[in-house]
Amino acid sequence: MSAPLRFDGRVVLVTGAGGGLGRAYALAFAERGALVVVNDLGGDFKGHGKSSSAADKVVEEIRAKGGKAVANYDSVEAGEKLVQTALDTFGRIDILVNNAGILRDRSFVRISDDDWDIIQRIHLRGSFQVTRAAWNHMKNQNFGRIIMTSSAAGIYGNFGQANYSAAKLGLVGLANTLAVEGRKYNIHCNTIAPTAGSRLTQTVMPQDMLDAFKPEYVAPLVLWLCHESCKENGGLFEVGAGWIGKLRWERSLGAIVRQKNHPMTPEAVRNKWENICDFHNASKPHTIQESVSQLNDVLRQIESQDVSPNPTSYRAPAFSTGFDSAKFVGQKLSSTQYEYTHMQPILYALGVGMSTKDPDHLKFLFEGSDGFCCLPTFAVIPAQSSMLDGGLSSVPGLNIDFTKVLHGEQYLELYKPLPTSGRLTSEASIADILDKGSGAVILLDVYTYSGKDLLCYNQFSVFVVGAGGFGGKRSSEKTKATVNPPNRKPDSVLTDVTTVDQAALYRLSGDWNPLHIEPGFAALGGFQKPILHGLCSFGYAARHVLKHFANNDVTKFKAIKVRFAKPVFPGQTLQTEMWKEGNRIHICTKVKETGEIAIAGAYVDLLSTSSQPEVKIPSALASGLQSDLVFEEIGRRIKEVGSELVKKVNAVFEWNITKDKKTAVQWTIDLKNGSGELYRGPARSKADTTFTLADEDFMDLVLGKMNPQKAFLSGKLKLKGNILLSQKLETILKDYAKL
Ligand code: NAI
């Protein structure tokens, strides 16, 4: 058993310790060796009168038990005097419990100035006065523990307690700042909102509650928070009846309601109200810095909007003749957060048909199993809110009719196996908009990060029925293309029956579209009954490949591309035909009952397959830098269109990518000689321009989060050689570094 928490030699000042909670704290501290100043003015609970008897009685009680205590009868408003008693008697002050309090309950309009003022004076000003008097002593000795006493009335509001609520929540604000200011002096300040039977509560609590909610059930929290071994600082706790809970702020993801070059309007606020108040995936900011950084991010996003200053173009319906898709390409959506525990990957695995019937599925279904992991295709879940939850719909001017939207294709590339729990951030942008005649296709690129670590890339192809014919281009080099399977019988086939509740189960992973569960809604969409989510069939197909060719080893999974060709109904049998071509497994998923193709042009890329020797992960990847992925992609593109680039650029670029301020890797992009080349290491011929920057900054640059000019001016990007040539850099990175 760990050692009991002792307070020997510590000097504790408890205000309002003549009764109720304060008395319980004073007795508990004294019992554990503390030297206690028992302060109490000794008036009635409304703040009238005074007497020394309350404090004296508690001091006697402590002394009778062999403890050490001294009384003080001043009002907390005379803070210095209270602290002086501690210094005069015991020579120091270590712990301060601001507890004294009174009530002047009245309905709001009946509160007199006096009722208002006295409550602020005793609770808020009193705590300020005593704390300020103690502060420098604590600072000089590099130790201090302070408790503020708030109330559920302040946190939640309570009829008839406007004055008291204001003061009590004021104390939380005071404590928050003291926690920040005191941290470096080892002064911790925490706040409690207690519930206990006492003189203050006897008018509102029935006798049995008064007896049951003992002050002794609050004191242990106060003692722990005040112990030298407790690291808690700036916390707010509700406590009573033997229960303790911590409170924190939660903030919805919110919505941007302002557009660059447009006035911000109340109508825009109204239109986004649901998003503003939606606590789905809410964040929990802890510091003012976290809070403000969100606003900087918003400014950046608004600044990067490329919208016409002419307000009429904003109102013009999108996708009509003259719709200018170029305006939207490159536009970033608000980043989205996805927080999950082991439950979501398990729910997802069940959603895509995994079952405990298959023993090797256990590692996807039981958090306690050896090698518990996420199915690779779970990576679409954190990213999908960019498409679903107000993502695309929040792009100003892009007026999509969401009843006309179909999920056309999906590409997913995984750079690391997904953690089984955590908090991921997804950054989405519109990669391109295509005109397919009968409809428009929006390519949405979504990068998902864990902290600064890039985990995966998703490309959603969203087909908007009837939105084509605006005169846009039909294809894009940004599309991750589908590939037809080889013209031979499949190498293997796996089948799986979906259950009638498959869609009902899958939707719990976050795609709540009623099309997949509500017959009436499905009928509106022209379906005889609710259909299975395309991404659910996608999950089935991927796990068929993973099982057959990679022994369910998720570290072997690299990427998947599918086109959703026909709907599947829950209860139907999915049959995945597979063709192995090196590390690429082509797939075609059919509905067995009808023979119809549900998933076409699809493939899964594995890093290696179980039926052949392990393929080495490219050495560049092994170095662990995120920028390696981009350089590899640049290398691939140079192989495809190098000579064209040599003509355009005609320069040799050398890169020093740094990690922890040291050069971690060098790359050369030679777009001058032959048909171009990318290689690791310094330039073999003379480099025209040399760039030096950190791995993370390189990623920000490539992903468009950082502007090269600004990076240069701020010193994050260092340039040597022909600086003018660096202007060509933006084109290369934008067009050729797509992961
Ligand atoms: P209590 O009335 O038993 O204790 C408060 C003590 O503070 C009294 O002994 C009183 O004489 C003393 N006091 C009042 N004004 C003073 C002043 N100006 N200077 C020095 N001492 C003064 O009440 P209880 O319930 O023990 O309350 C303690 C604290 O807990 C108060 O701040 C109260 O607002 C807070 N609180 C209590 C709750 C409860 O359920 N008991 C609920 C929420 C908050």
Side-chain angles (χ1 to χ4, degrees), residues 33-319:
L35 312 166
V36 184
V37 178
V38 177
N39 156 265
D40 208 293
L41 182 64
D44 71 8
F45 84 95
K46 291 188 171 176
H48 301 296
K50 58 190 285 187
S51 136
S52 58
S53 64
D56 284 343
K57 255 176 82 186
V58 176
V59 169
E60 273 163 35
E61 269 187 272
I62 291 173
R63 288 185 181 154
K65 290 183 179 170
K68 292 204 171 85
V70 64
N72 170 285
Y73 319 115
D74 292 303
S75 167
V76 284
E77 292 177 81
E80 293 281 354
K81 291 189 181 166
L82 278 69
V83 172
Q84 200 54 49
T85 302
L87 299 176
D88 291 347
T89 318
F90 301 121
R92 54 189 288 138
I93 168 96
D94 297 297
I95 293 165
L96 164 61
V97 184
N98 288 296
N99 165 78
I102 55 162
L103 285 179
R104 286 285 179 95
D105 292 358
R106 297 256 193 288
S107 63
F108 179 59
V109 285
R110 297 182 58 211
I111 296 176
S112 66
D113 285 1
D114 189 39
D115 294 335
W116 177 266
D117 291 344
I118 193 168
I119 289 293
Q120 311 307 319
R121 278 194 352 246
I122 306 298
H123 289 274
L124 193 50
R125 192 160 192 277
S127 299
F128 157 67
Q129 291 287 350
V130 188
T131 306
R132 191 179 56 177
W135 190 260
N136 273 342
H137 301 285
M138 293 179 169
K139 193 169 146 185
N140 292 339
Q141 70 202 13
N142 203 38
F143 178 82
R145 295 288 183 268
I146 299 167
I147 298 290
M148 296 294 174
T149 305
S150 183
S151 160
I155 298 169
Y156 306 107
N158 195 23
F159 191 91
Q161 293 200 304
N163 50 355
Y164 180 75
S165 304
K168 285 303 200 190
L169 205 60
L171 284 162
V172 178
L174 173 62
N176 286 343
T177 290
L178 294 185
V180 172
E181 290 192 16
R183 185 171 292 128
K184 69 175 174 202
Y185 306 112
N186 190 22
I187 304 176
H188 295 176
C189 185
N190 289 289
T191 307
I192 60 161
T195 300
S198 75
R199 191 177 73 162
L200 279 192
T201 43
Q202 69 188 359
T203 52
V204 287
M205 280 186 190
Q207 191 58 44
D208 53 344
M209 264 175 95
L210 283 171
D211 297 340
F213 292 179
K214 295 190 195 310
E216 289 75 18
Y217 301 152
V218 175
L221 170 65
V222 170
L223 264 69
W224 163 239
L225 290 172
C226 291
H227 197 261
E228 60 198 22
S229 63
C230 179
K231 302 277 174 281
E232 189 69 39
N233 186 21
L236 170 61
F237 302 88
E238 281 186 67
V239 49
W243 167 88
I244 301 164
K246 185 171 180 175
L247 283 91
R248 67 178 172 193
W249 291 105
E250 196 178 45
R251 186 173 66 185
S252 72
L253 284 178
I256 296 179
V257 292
R258 183 167 74 82
Q259 264 190 293
K260 189 178 171 182
N261 301 331
H262 290 282
M264 181 168 160
T265 64
E267 289 77 15
V269 178
R270 177 197 57 199
N271 296 344
K272 280 282 156 64
W273 197 240
E274 233 172 82
N275 298 53
I276 292 168
C277 301
D278 179 1
F279 276 90
H280 189 67
N281 285 337
S283 66
K284 282 116 192 154
H286 289 100
T287 62
I288 193 162
Q289 288 76 14
E290 275 179 62
S291 162
V292 172
S293 76
Q294 156 83 7
L295 297 186
N296 285 332
D297 199 41
V298 166
L299 283 182
R300 191 174 53 73
Q301 285 188 42
I302 293 176
E303 270 316 297
S304 67
Q305 285 173 359
D306 184 16
V307 289
S308 154
N310 171 8
T312 55
S313 70
Y314 167 50
R315 287 195 210 100
F319 304 104

